[in-house]
Amino acid sequence: GAGVSQSPSNKVTEKGKDVELRCDPISGHTALYWYRQSLGQGLEFLIYFQGNSAPDKSGLPSDRFSAERTGGSVSTLTIQRTQQEDSAVYLCASSLGISANGELFFGEGSRLTVL
Amino acid sequence: QKEVEQNSGPLSVPEGAIASLNCTYSDRVSQSFFWYRQYSGKSPELIMSIYSNGDKEDGRFTAQLNKASQYVSLLIRDSQPSDSATYLCAVPGSARQLTFGSGTQLTVLP
């Protein structure tokens, strides 16, 4: 597709379960970002991938959160032992390179609800 | 202090009026600034970028930057109901990510 694709669009899970969220960036974009947006809040940076460099994980809120990017393309964000405070919309974005020009293209997000 | 701060609003203006959205940032070395628009239930999209002090105009939108005051604003002239959205200010963070403000919710009343 032409845009950033995320799946699932909605996920309801029980507290303590693990979830995986997938992001397929725009073809040719080397940079990939994960953000989290809680209801009525701004975007919270989670993790950043650039090409083959080591990812910047400085925004991950706890060791229950991890992400990988295979083959420089598709990324998976994994949340282990989910908690209710993990409920949010998880947004993936990609760009041609580092965010120097601020042009991030966002997917439609994965809405996670932890019961 | 948060890196990027915005008045959360909500801000309501009548159709045809000027909407003024404000943002302050803490990192004095920031060189680039961005405004994103987010419609309800949708993802953010870039609408304006500004790199130099002064004004930058694009159609009905004007971004204003004052680096000395660490202040950036977005003016929307002749506001339309279709401009109703949340506007997010963004500044490059310490680790090559964009740091976003919490957003200002704008409602343009017909």
Side-chain angles (χ1 to χ4, degrees), chain A residues 21 33-39 41-47 59-62 64-65 77 79 83-92 106 110 112, chain B residues 100:
Chain A
L21 307 176
Y33 309 78
W34 283 98
Y35 285 85
R36 176 170 72 174
Q37 188 172 34
S38 300
L39 186 64
Q41 301 298 310
L43 277 67
E44 176 188 4
F45 168 71
L46 298 178
I47 188 169
L60 294 178
S62 78
R64 296 187 295 104
F65 288 73
L77 176 69
I79 308 173
Q83 303 294 311
Q84 289 183 331
E85 61 262 28
D86 299 335
S87 297
V89 176
Y90 289 81
L91 290 164
C92 176
F106 284 87
S110 293
L112 174 65
Chain B
F100 288 83

Side-chain angles (χ1 to χ4, degrees), chain B residues 2 10 18 31 39 45 47 61 65 68 79 104 110:
Chain B
K2 291 184 179 178
I18 295 176
Q31 295 295 316
Y39 291 114
E45 58 177 339
I47 56 170
F61 296 89
L65 175 60
S79 296
T104 299

Side-chain angles (χ1 to χ4, degrees), chain A residues 57-79:
Chain A
K57 305 179 181 180
S58 60
L60 294 178
S62 78
D63 58 8
R64 296 187 295 104
F65 288 73
S66 63
E68 62 177 18
R69 188 179 185 190
T70 55
S73 181
V74 173
S75 177
T76 302
L77 176 69
T78 301
I79 308 173

Side-chain angles (χ1 to χ4, degrees), chain A residues 35 37 56 99 101-102 104 107, chain B residues 34 36 38 43 95-98:
Chain A
Y35 285 85
Q37 188 172 34
D56 177 352
S99 61
N101 68 352
L104 269 60
Chain B
F34 309 95
Y36 278 73
Q38 186 175 24
S43 54
R96 296 187 171 183
Q97 83 284 11
L98 277 184

Side-chain angles (χ1 to χ4, degrees), chain B residues 66-78:
Chain B
N66 184 325
K67 291 186 179 180
S69 299
Q70 296 176 242
Y71 176 92
V72 58
S73 65
L74 179 70
L75 301 178
I76 307 174
R77 292 183 302 281
D78 188 23

Side-chain angles (χ1 to χ4, degrees), chain B residues 7 33 46 49 63-64 70 79 86:
Chain B
N7 291 331
F33 308 87
L46 179 68
S49 58
Q64 298 177 319
Q70 296 176 242
S79 296
T86 295

Side-chain angles (χ1 to χ4, degrees), chain B residues 5 19-20 41 47-48 58 74 79 88-89 95 97 103:
Chain B
E5 295 205 40
S20 177
I47 56 170
M48 286 286 284
D58 183 1
L74 179 70
S79 296
L88 300 160
C89 175
Q97 83 284 11

